[in-house]
């Protein structure tokens, strides 16, 4: 029988939250905890980078829309 992350002592609720709901530091900490617990480091890095990229694009789109709205 294998143990799941939700059944282990010291489990952080952030580990179960979607990355987009966490701030950058909390995302990185959660990814490191999952890697230490045996998660694939490449997958964790990919997911973290993807989420941060999505946020950056979202901020850029918002800024462009505000700028266009003023002109």
């Amino acid at each position: 029988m294998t143990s799941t992350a939700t059944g282990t002592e010291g489990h952080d609720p952030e580990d179960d939250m979607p990355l987009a709901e966490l701030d950058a530091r909390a995302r990185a900490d959660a990814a490191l905890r999952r890697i230490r617990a045996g998660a694939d480091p490449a997958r964790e890095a990919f997911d973290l980078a993807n989420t941060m990229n999505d946020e950056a694009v979202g901020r850029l789109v918002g800024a462009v829309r505000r700028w266009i709205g003023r002109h």
Side-chain angles (χ1 to χ4, degrees):
M1 184 169 149
T2 60
S3 174
T4 62
T6 57
T8 61
E9 186 174 314
H11 176 74
D12 290 294
E14 291 87 359
D15 293 340
D16 297 326
M17 295 175 69
L19 288 176
E21 293 182 13
L22 302 172
D23 68 15
R25 177 62 183 229
R27 273 188 228 121
D29 289 344
L32 287 172
R33 281 192 302 275
R34 287 190 295 271
I35 290 168
R36 287 186 199 111
D40 178 23
R43 182 68 199 183
E44 292 295 329
F46 177 80
D47 289 344
L48 190 60
N50 239 1
T51 302
M52 291 179 161
N53 185 48
D54 290 347
E55 287 180 351
V57 170
R59 286 192 301 271
L60 177 62
V61 167
V64 169
R65 285 183 179 156
R66 286 189 301 276
W67 182 79
I68 289 173
R70 286 188 222 145
H71 290 85

